């Protein structure tokens, strides 16, 4: 797995970056995380958005998956962990569950990213569908384990379907962002 | 940055994900074991986010207001024409009312009508009742110092609300007409039948003892009846509504579940005294203890 900070390891061969360039790069790397954090804040706000409780994990999972596949430098494991922990703190899931699930999704995406980047969008979507279903099932299982009795699986199904359904939309938006960043990258 | 080789760095980078996974598992278990700590952390985060959330809610309210304003503006012309038509109609009724009032005055003058005394009233603010023996009663900030007496009538803006049952120096308790202890003689305006309106702690008191040949008509007005001298006649109460077939109830005009102000009227029923009639055994006045009528028949010095 190539690390995003490959270039900064050998400062002698690279021109020293100015402050503005460094800020620009940091902003670019933080963009997906900031987007996800904003989504968490907006969707956990008590403004009565319909289906906000199920939509939020779907959006965050899709974002993490997309950026883990296409630009892992924008979504390193530490950011994923912080996102998951923040989601747990804001929401009502047991502490650490979302972080665990998001890290697993991130690991899967990073592991399969070279195969996925070459393949068709539909294939990526199918793989994401599997990941989303697995995440919903895992969350349901963990919730059952922590509460020590079996819960209604219907919300988990709904969440998985929502997750699969929202991926193309977020993928299109994020692709646009990706292209925008790439254009800025190569002046 | 630490001076370590590329290989070590790559190995460390590969270790980050498993380490974080282990950490999240640890947090899961720790959060289950130390629930108060987890709850405090949640509250801390929620406290930090509260201003942002209130900002979002504020923005949402603003957006809703703008949308509502646009929607209203779309119907503005329609609403305007409707109001103009209604205004013209009301103007016509105003003229009719004025001419009727003049005619009424003229007729009363012709007939040497004795005018009824204008009842005195005080207005007070309703405070929530803190208990008492009634389920539907309110406390009014007006007491004996303001001239309120037991048995006075409390009116809301558009109808009868209840009767004063207890009076203090600065407060009076008013038994609402919906209370289960409330029984009022009423008159049905269209069918000209009298009945008893009995509260049952529900918002719609039901009608009892109406004549079987003149059933209450759905939607007719119910006013107070003058029987027994408890209430002055003709105070509007509400409309007849059949909750079920054969169970007429009264929908009060007054919004009895959120009263804010009440006017308490003193109709002074005791001022109207029937003249003495020789040989007539007087009935018990509702407000006075029963005086023995046979006392007068006994010669003086023989009672007791």
């Amino acid at each position: 797995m190539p690390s995003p900070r490959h270039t900064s390891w050998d400062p002698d061969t690279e021109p020293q970056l100015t402050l503005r360039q460094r800020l620009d790069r940091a902003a670019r790397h933080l963009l997906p995380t900031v987007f996800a954090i904003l989504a968490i804040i907006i969707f956990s706000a008590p403004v009565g958005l319909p289906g906000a409780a199920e939509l939020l994990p779907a959006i965050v999972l899709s974002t993490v998956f997309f950026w883990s596949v296409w630009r892992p430098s924008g979504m390193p494991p530490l950011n994923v962990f912080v996102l998951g922990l923040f989601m747990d703190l804001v929401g009502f899931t047991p502490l650490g569950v979302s972080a665990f699930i998001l890290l697993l999704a991130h690991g899967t995406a990073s592991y399969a990213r070279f195969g996925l980047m070459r393949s068709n969008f539909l294939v990526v979507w199918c793989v994401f569908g599997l990941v989303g279903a697995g995440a919903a099932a895992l969350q349901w299982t963990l919730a059952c384990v922590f509460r020590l009795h079996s819960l209604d699986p219907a919300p988990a199904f709904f969440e998985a379907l929502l997750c699969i359904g929202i991926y193309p939309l977020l993928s299109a938006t994020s692709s646009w962002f990706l292209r925008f960043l790439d254009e800025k990258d190569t002046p | 940055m630490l001076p370590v080789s590329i290989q070590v760095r790559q190995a460390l980078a590969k270790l980050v994900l498993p380490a974080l996974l282990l950490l999240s598992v640890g947090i899961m278990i720790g959060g289950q074991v130390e629930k108060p700590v987890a709850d405090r952390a949640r509250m801390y985060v929620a406290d930090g986010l509260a201003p942002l959330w209130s900002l979002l809610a504020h923005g949402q309210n603003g957006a809703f207001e703008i949308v509502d304003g646009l929607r209203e503006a779309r119907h503005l012309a329609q609403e305007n024409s409707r109001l103009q038509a209604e205004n013209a109609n009301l103007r016509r009724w105003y003229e009719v009312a004025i001419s009727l009032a003049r005619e009424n005055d003229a007729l009363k003058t012709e007939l040497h009508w004795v005018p009824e005394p204008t009842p005195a009233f005080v207005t007070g603010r309703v405070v929530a009742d803190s208990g008492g023996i009634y389920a539907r009663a309110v406390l009014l900030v007006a007491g004996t110092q303001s001239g309120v007496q037991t048995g006075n009538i409390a009116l809301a803006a558009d109808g009868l609300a209840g009767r004063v049952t207890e009076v203090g120096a600065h407060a009076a308790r008013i038994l609402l007409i919906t209370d289960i202890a409330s029984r009022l003689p009423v008159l049905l305006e269209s069918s000209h039948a009298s009945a008893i309106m009995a509260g049952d702690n529900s918002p719609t008191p039901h009608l009892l003892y109406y004549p079987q040949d003149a059933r209450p008509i759905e939607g007719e007005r119910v006013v107070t009846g003058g029987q027994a001298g408890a209430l002055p006649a003709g105070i509007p109460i509400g409309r007849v509504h059949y909750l079920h077939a054969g169970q007429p109830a009264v929908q009060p005009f007054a919004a009895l579940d959120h009263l804010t102000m009440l006017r308490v009227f003193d109709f002074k029923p005791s001022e109207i005294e029937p003249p003495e009639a020789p040989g007539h055994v007087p009935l018990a006045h509702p407000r006075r203890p029963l005086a023995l009528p046979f006392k007068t028949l006994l010669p003086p010095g023989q009672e007791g």
Side-chain angles (χ1 to χ4, degrees):
Chain A
M1 193 175 82
S3 174
R5 294 188 195 84
H6 217 287
T7 47
S8 61
W9 290 352
D10 201 353
D12 294 340
T13 59
E14 282 269 314
Q16 194 72 38
L17 293 172
T18 62
L19 179 69
R20 217 186 120 203
Q21 276 172 318
R22 255 184 279 169
L23 277 179
D24 187 48
R25 174 169 293 187
R28 219 173 296 163
H29 284 169
L30 279 177
L31 181 81
T33 315
V34 169
F35 168 76
I37 284 182
L38 279 182
I40 292 173
I41 291 176
I42 289 171
F43 277 89
S44 56
V47 292
L49 286 172
E54 288 86 6
L55 210 54
L56 176 58
I59 288 177
V60 175
L61 189 67
S62 311
T63 312
V64 166
F65 184 84
F66 181 89
W67 290 92
S68 303
V69 169
W70 294 99
R71 192 63 57 91
S73 63
M75 197 52 88
L78 194 64
N79 291 20
V80 176
F81 176 72
V82 170
L83 268 181
L85 207 59
F86 183 57
M87 209 159 96
D88 284 333
L89 283 172
V90 167
F92 292 96
T93 40
L95 220 55
V97 168
S98 299
F100 184 68
I101 290 169
L102 286 181
L103 280 172
L104 279 185
H106 170 77
T108 316
S110 316
Y111 180 75
R113 66 179 291 245
F114 290 110
L116 288 174
M117 278 171 83
R118 274 199 300 272
S119 52
N120 194 345
F121 170 75
L122 281 177
V123 179
V124 181
W125 194 12
C126 287
V127 173
F128 177 72
L130 288 180
V131 171
L138 186 61
Q139 192 173 16
W140 180 76
T141 316
L142 284 174
C144 288
V145 166
F146 284 133
R147 285 181 178 73
L148 293 178
H149 65 88
S150 79
L151 300 165
D152 183 18
F157 269 117
F158 182 51
E159 192 182 313
L161 286 179
L162 215 54
C163 207
I164 296 165
I166 206 160
Y167 181 71
L169 195 70
L170 273 174
S171 168
T173 321
S174 307
S175 300
W176 182 79
F177 265 114
L178 208 61
R179 210 168 306 133
F180 175 71
L181 293 181
D182 281 347
E183 272 170 21
K184 277 192 79 179
D185 244 352
T186 52
Chain B
M1 285 230 170
L2 288 171
V4 279
S5 68
I6 292 173
Q7 284 82 10
V8 176
R9 266 178 198 286
Q10 280 181 340
L12 279 178
K14 272 186 185 154
L15 275 180
V16 170
L17 185 60
L20 285 176
L21 275 172
L22 277 180
L23 184 59
S24 56
V25 172
I27 287 175
M28 260 191 264
I29 295 167
Q32 289 301 309
V33 174
E34 289 282 333
K35 280 211 170 165
V37 177
D39 287 343
R40 217 175 306 143
R42 271 179 219 275
M43 284 318 298
Y44 195 69
V45 170
D47 276 353
L49 285 177
L52 269 175
W53 281 337
S54 68
L55 199 69
L56 278 174
H58 192 73
Q60 193 200 24
N61 285 346
F64 277 155
E65 269 170 26
I66 288 172
V67 169
D68 280 350
L70 285 177
R71 197 175 297 151
E72 271 174 29
R74 220 174 41 164
H75 298 299
L76 210 59
Q78 203 183 333
E79 183 75 6
N80 203 6
S81 60
R82 190 184 70 78
L83 284 177
Q84 272 173 353
E86 191 176 322
N87 201 14
N89 195 14
L90 287 178
R91 237 170 233 291
R92 196 167 65 80
W93 277 112
Y94 175 73
E95 299 298 334
V96 170
I98 282 193
S99 66
L100 282 178
R102 288 214 183 107
E103 188 186 341
N104 205 3
D105 281 348
L107 289 175
K108 278 180 181 170
T109 320
E110 286 292 316
L111 290 169
H112 303 292
W113 172 267
V114 181
E116 287 174 2
T118 316
F121 71 94
V122 287
T123 308
R125 188 174 289 284
V126 170
V127 292
D129 199 348
S130 54
I133 55 171
Y134 304 120
R136 298 282 182 273
V138 291
L139 216 56
L140 196 71
V141 189
T144 44
Q145 292 205 337
S146 324
V148 177
Q149 287 165 8
T150 311
N152 285 3
I153 312 296
L155 296 188
D158 33 15
L160 181 72
R163 277 182 294 175
V164 176
T165 53
E166 290 149 33
V167 195
H170 300 286
R173 177 164 290 131
I174 287 157
L175 174 70
L176 297 183
I177 54 175
T178 45
D179 188 274
I180 200 159
S182 167
R183 296 276 192 283
L184 291 179
V186 295
L187 192 74
L188 309 172
E189 260 194 354
S190 304
S191 50
H192 299 289
S194 39
I196 294 286
M197 184 179 73
D200 48 6
N201 288 354
S202 75
T204 52
H206 56 272
L207 289 172
L208 299 174
Y209 311 128
Y210 47 87
Q212 292 301 303
D213 55 344
R215 298 290 178 101
I217 304 162
E218 168 84 32
E220 75 176 309
R221 269 164 59 96
V222 179
V223 297
T224 52
Q227 292 98 328
L231 291 168
I235 298 174
I237 300 176
R239 286 190 185 285
V240 172
H241 175 58
Y242 277 88
L243 296 173
H244 305 287
Q247 281 183 32
V250 179
Q251 275 185 325
F253 290 130
L256 293 173
D257 49 346
H258 42 269
L259 292 167
T260 51
M261 295 274 201
L262 281 180
R263 288 170 297 161
V264 177
F265 282 83
D266 189 5
F267 283 99
K268 299 198 179 67
S270 53
E271 274 188 4
I272 307 169
E273 301 239 350
E276 292 283 332
H280 171 71
V281 179
L283 289 171
H285 194 274
R287 270 169 229 302
R288 266 181 290 164
L290 188 69
L292 269 180
F294 307 110
K295 249 183 190 175
T296 49
L297 300 178
L298 295 172
Q302 283 196 9
E303 63 256 83

